[in-house]
Amino acid sequence: MDPFEMVVAIIIVVTIGKVLQARFQASERRSEDPTESIDALRMRDEIRTLKERIAVLERVITDNNRSIELDREIERLRDNNRV
């Protein structure tokens, strides 16, 4: 084996090693990301739901006329369900 072939062989071995290392690191990142993204999506959905509920509560509390109407509507619905 002459020196040129040896240099080419070393370059090929190093290149294959780097490619395998990059694939291994990428597969590790992929296995970690989905669990984090699922948790992040679940938390975002929960935060969005809580913000909607807070907005409804703020509307009910701050709007006296609307809360009186809401009380009447709730009582009317209760009366309808009893019949």
Side-chain angles (χ1 to χ4, degrees):
M1 181 178 264
D2 65 11
F4 178 73
E5 290 174 348
M6 193 178 302
V7 170
V8 170
I10 291 172
I11 291 173
I12 289 173
V13 169
V14 170
T15 303
I16 291 172
K18 290 291 186 180
V19 168
L20 292 175
Q21 182 181 15
R23 278 191 182 178
F24 181 71
Q25 288 175 349
S27 68
E28 284 182 353
R29 279 188 237 130
R30 269 190 247 130
S31 66
E32 293 173 4
D33 287 345
T35 57
E36 291 177 5
S37 64
I38 289 172
D39 288 342
L41 291 174
R42 184 184 55 78
M43 286 184 213
R44 284 185 191 136
D45 186 46
E46 187 175 347
I47 290 170
R48 182 184 47 79
T49 303
L50 291 173
K51 284 182 178 180
E52 289 173 358
R53 292 178 74 182
I54 289 171
V56 169
L57 290 173
E58 287 175 344
R59 268 198 317 267
V60 168
I61 290 171
T62 58
D63 190 4
N64 289 336
N65 293 334
R66 180 82 174 138
S67 64
I68 292 170
E69 291 175 22
L70 181 63
D71 288 341
R72 289 181 186 157
E73 182 69 19
I74 290 171
E75 289 301 321
R76 186 181 63 79
L77 290 171
R78 283 184 186 157
D79 292 340
N80 288 344
N81 285 336
R82 289 181 188 162
V83 174

